[in-house]
């Protein structure tokens, strides 16, 4: 079974934290990796900014949805 995009994102975040030791350093590593991939893809800075803005909006929406579900979702995980 192919992992979903959220599963892939979580896996990358976990790997980065494991490699770097802190969430802050993991974020810096992933930002550098994004810049490298964007450069390889020929994305200009404006396109990269647009994509980052879209990702930020998606993450805010996801957090809002999780916060709205709240304790019910947390209790199902346990």
């Amino acid at each position: 079974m192919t992992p979903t995009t959220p599963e892939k994102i979580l896996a990358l975040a976990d790997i980065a934290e494991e490699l770097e030791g802190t969430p802050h350093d993991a974020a810096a590593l992933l930002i550098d990796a994004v810049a490298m991939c964007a450069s390889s893809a020929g994305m200009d800075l404006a396109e990269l900014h647009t994509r980052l803005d879209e990702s930020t909006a998606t993450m805010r929406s996801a957090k809002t949805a999780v916060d709205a579900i709240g304790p019910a979702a947390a209790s199902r995980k346990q």
Side-chain angles (χ1 to χ4, degrees), residues 5-6 9 50-66:
T5 297
I9 291 168
T50 298
R51 184 63 186 107
L52 289 171
D53 289 343
E54 291 169 357
S55 292
T56 300
T58 299
M59 295 306 286
R60 280 191 188 123
S61 294
K63 183 180 180 339
T64 299
V66 169

